[in-house]
Amino acid sequence: MLWKTGVIERVPSNFHLSKIIAQKVSYNNSKQNLDNDYFKFFNEQLNLGIIEEIEPTNHKSQIWIPPRPVIRKDPLVLTTKIRPVFNYSLKTKGLPSLNEVAYPGTNIMTDLLALL
């Protein structure tokens, strides 16, 4: 990601808020018996090398991006599809979010629409 100079430093650590969100997601997933499916997604990503496990050195000074599950229940499919979506627009204390301090990428939607 390309960050705007002098602004990324203003994004605060959001460990406490991210931890609360993770606990809420875990609670809701376990109520719906979706814990295994949710963890399976992350394990597949880990095995493919898309994500990696880290040991946080100072978790209260790092920026955390909490995921929330998106659940697709299709009556034609026997299994429930669940995938995480990461909240880059999470703000704390009125300071900028990661979305606000990153340069926008190229809009490829216009190219896709032209192809259709």
Side-chain angles (χ1 to χ4, degrees), residues 55-71:
E55 290 294 327
T57 54
N58 186 357
H59 64 273
K60 294 193 178 185
S61 68
Q62 297 170 334
I63 300 170
W64 297 85
I65 306 165
R68 67 175 178 82
V70 172
I71 303 165

Side-chain angles (χ1 to χ4, degrees), residues 14 17-19 21-22 64-68 85-88 90:
N14 55 355
L17 182 57
S18 294
K19 184 177 176 182
I21 292 169
W64 297 85
I65 306 165
R68 67 175 178 82
V85 173
F86 294 89
N87 185 358
Y88 286 85
L90 181 68

Side-chain angles (χ1 to χ4, degrees), residues 41-80:
F41 180 89
F42 285 105
N43 284 329
E44 287 172 358
Q45 298 285 305
L46 187 62
N47 291 335
L48 292 170
I50 296 170
I51 61 173
E52 63 183 274
E53 192 169 343
I54 62 163
E55 290 294 327
T57 54
N58 186 357
H59 64 273
K60 294 193 178 185
S61 68
Q62 297 170 334
I63 300 170
W64 297 85
I65 306 165
R68 67 175 178 82
V70 172
I71 303 165
R72 178 178 169 217
K73 295 180 181 178
D74 191 343
L76 301 177
V77 179
L78 298 176
T79 60
T80 300

